[in-house]
Amino acid sequence: MGLVSIILLSACGTEELPPNPLALNSYYAEEQPSLSGNGRFLAYLSHRDGRRRILMYDLQERQFVALPGLDLRGTIAQSPSLSYTGRYLAYLAEDGDRRTLKLYDRLVGQTQVLNWGYRGWIGHPSLSEDGRYIAFETGENGQLDIAILDRGSRIEIDRQED
């Protein structure tokens, strides 16, 4: 059976899944793994196809998960962090000399920037299981500190499946 490239269309452009939908690892560097709280999904950085990007793998179904709307063209992604069911994915995107903390909602296929009020360096986001809180390093005060961002009580939290 030959390898087939799967191309998915989304509002933000096209997304290409890895050519072998069953292979979690490749001959290229795979790094910075993040496991969802329920242990089903794995998000990580991959250097396949000569570019650095975030991939998500469903460990139960043994296949890659499409992430339509996760637009990373022209940016360097790093430090993925998943919520309990993998609905929310927090990560850093570096565009030139600016780092942004972003949150991708897999249910609606949209990404939002979360660090509008922070100046200076940010790093290593860690998403709470329900997706409401994100802890991260910040250099806003001239030294490394820990910040916790509360997305608010009105967000749709990531819940355990019934």
Side-chain angles (χ1 to χ4, degrees), residues 58-146:
D58 185 332
L59 295 164
Q60 182 178 323
E61 298 293 326
R62 295 182 180 204
Q63 64 185 11
F64 286 96
V65 176
L67 300 172
L70 183 70
D71 187 13
L72 297 174
R73 296 192 190 282
T75 63
I76 298 172
Q78 57 190 3
S79 301
S81 180
L82 289 173
S83 62
Y84 185 79
T85 66
R87 173 182 177 172
Y88 294 113
L89 167 66
Y91 65 96
L92 294 176
E94 195 168 326
D95 182 13
D97 61 349
R98 180 170 165 79
R99 276 187 169 189
T100 54
L101 175 60
K102 294 188 176 186
L103 182 78
Y104 174 72
D105 184 341
R106 198 164 53 95
L107 187 66
V108 296
Q110 293 182 346
T111 302
Q112 66 183 91
V113 176
L114 298 177
N115 66 311
W116 287 113
Y118 292 89
R119 295 184 192 103
W121 189 87
I122 57 171
H124 304 285
S126 178
L127 187 60
S128 65
E129 284 193 351
D130 65 5
R132 178 175 173 175
Y133 301 98
I134 303 166
F136 59 97
E137 294 175 354
T138 178
E140 186 175 38
N141 297 321
Q143 67 180 26
L144 286 181
D145 292 315
I146 304 298

